[in-house]
Amino acid sequence: MKRISRIPKALPGLLAVTALSGCGAKNGADSDRAGEFAGMDDRAKMQYMMQRVAPDSVARFICDAALGKIEGVRIDTLSMAALYAYENYKDADLQTFQIAYDTYADNLPLPDKMHLRKLAASDNPDALGYQLGLEYVNDIRTGRMTGEEIEAEIAAFKKVCDASPEDSLTFRRFMTGFKVALDKDGSEGIPKSIYESYSK
């Protein structure tokens, strides 16, 4: 399944703790530093992390922090955090960050992928669902997803989208884009049950 590139759920938090912990630091000191870190603005968090962990870890950190997946730590403005990295990393570090960010974001489950793109403001909101649908055919092929995995992910995405009128429209556009991509690209690498159900 395509989600194998995702890091374990607890790891982003461990990265932050590692960055906050010094050699031989006491638990109380670690706790104080963690509290200080949580209270920093996004720019300060980025500066702190970039000085202490590798660029690929920073990329995964800002995605998970923006999505609320790290307890007690948030990135409030993903676009600003990413821009800070792009402006301050150089050469190989910048390339590593960019590849890691794109790869991690592209391999998120559909609900998280939608939320991350909305937070990053990287897509036209009216076209976001359609674009996700177009891309999903490639996600299926590269991830070698089974029909059951695809149905489960689409159902989870629909459930999240049904929670708001805006996202409900996004889901309908997703389904349109998915159908268009299936009709255009054909059935190769797509489970037969999925192709027959969604290409008509």
Side-chain angles (χ1 to χ4, degrees), residues 17-36:
V17 170
T18 300
L20 296 168
S21 301
C23 295
K26 303 292 186 183
N27 287 339
D30 288 350
S31 179
D32 290 344
R33 287 177 182 162
E36 291 174 9

Side-chain angles (χ1 to χ4, degrees), residues 106-165:
D106 287 345
N107 282 281
L108 288 169
L110 281 169
D112 288 342
K113 186 184 291 191
M114 176 187 71
H115 287 145
L116 194 72
R117 288 200 183 176
K118 290 171 74 173
L119 290 169
S122 58
D123 294 83
N124 178 340
D126 292 336
L128 175 58
Y130 185 73
Q131 186 62 37
L132 288 172
L134 292 176
E135 295 171 3
Y136 196 52
V137 170
N138 187 60
D139 290 344
I140 291 169
R141 288 189 174 116
T142 58
R144 298 179 181 175
M145 296 174 69
T146 66
E148 291 79 9
E149 289 170 339
I150 296 162
E151 292 285 10
E153 184 162 53
I154 291 175
F157 187 44
K158 184 178 188 302
K159 183 177 180 180
V160 169
C161 288
D162 283 347
S164 78

